Amino acid sequence: MTEAQLGRPPIFPLSPRVKHYDMGLDFMQQYRQGMVRRLLTHSVLMRKYRKQLRQLLVSERPDIVITTMGLTTASTRFTSYDIDYRGNMNLYKEAVKANVKKFNYISVIACKEPGAEKVPMLHAKAMVEDEITKGDIDWVIYRPTGYFYDIAK
């Protein structure tokens, strides 16, 4: 599932056995508007996102959710806590509600090491790990190496 392919094909070819759903939500449109309209647009987009996510999870009844969600570039609009933590926790909560059997989370190496809490991206990922390991469904956490392009932020 993607939220904003907007008619573009996925970056990598998918197996014919993989079902791909695109929500068709252009989250960037909110940044082309003034502040008041931006807040309204964001609220509407998030409501549509949650509704479509719930409907997809209920209708498809997946056994597993695999999330690779994370902040991928430096941003003045979003933080690691917005994307890496809140985004993944929203997805996790919807997966629990839909009785998904397993949640696979792509974290990052060293996010639980001493001092990692001082790096927002590492801290946000560690917070997600803490939450899902206390949760109600089976989980797998992968910790690949990360690109620390914004470690100083």
Side-chain angles (χ1 to χ4, degrees), residues 32 41 49 107 126:
R32 296 186 289 268
T41 301
Y49 175 81
S107 185

Side-chain angles (χ1 to χ4, degrees), residues 25-50 77-78 82-83 86 90:
L25 300 173
D26 181 6
F27 279 93
M28 294 308 291
Q29 70 177 298
Q30 64 189 313
Y31 301 110
R32 296 186 289 268
Q33 301 170 354
M35 186 55 77
V36 174
R37 186 142 174 106
R38 179 184 301 178
L39 292 171
L40 177 63
T41 301
H42 177 76
S43 177
V44 169
L45 286 167
M46 287 307 297
R47 204 168 24 255
K48 287 180 180 179
Y49 175 81
R50 285 187 199 100
R77 298 178 183 131
F78 302 109
D82 295 326
I83 308 299
R86 268 197 302 263
N90 288 338

Side-chain angles (χ1 to χ4, degrees), residues 70-84:
L71 191 62
T72 58
T73 60
S75 173
T76 57
R77 298 178 183 131
F78 302 109
T79 69
S80 291
Y81 298 103
D82 295 326
I83 308 299
D84 294 79

Side-chain angles (χ1 to χ4, degrees), residues 43-60:
S43 177
V44 169
L45 286 167
M46 287 307 297
R47 204 168 24 255
K48 287 180 180 179
Y49 175 81
R50 285 187 199 100
K51 181 180 178 184
Q52 287 185 42
L53 177 61
R54 271 187 214 113
Q55 288 173 341
L56 182 61
L57 289 173
V58 169
S59 68
E60 290 300 316

Side-chain angles (χ1 to χ4, degrees), residues 125-145:
K125 290 192 178 289
M127 290 169 57
V128 173
E129 288 190 18
D130 291 342
E131 294 289 329
I132 66 174
T133 57
K134 293 186 289 187
D136 298 325
I137 60 177
D138 289 339
W139 49 268
V140 173
I141 295 171
Y142 301 95
R143 288 186 183 156
T145 58

Side-chain angles (χ1 to χ4, degrees), residues 70-121:
L71 191 62
T72 58
T73 60
S75 173
T76 57
R77 298 178 183 131
F78 302 109
T79 69
S80 291
Y81 298 103
D82 295 326
I83 308 299
D84 294 79
Y85 179 71
R86 268 197 302 263
N88 280 297
M89 290 314 304
N90 288 338
L91 181 58
Y92 178 79
K93 290 172 188 172
E94 292 298 332
V96 169
K97 287 180 193 174
N99 296 313
V100 171
K101 294 179 181 127
K102 187 177 277 186
F103 191 84
N104 285 15
Y105 175 59
I106 310 300
S107 185
V108 69
I109 197 167
C111 68
K112 295 289 211 161
E113 296 295 320
E117 70 281 354
K118 296 176 185 171
V119 180
M121 185 265 290

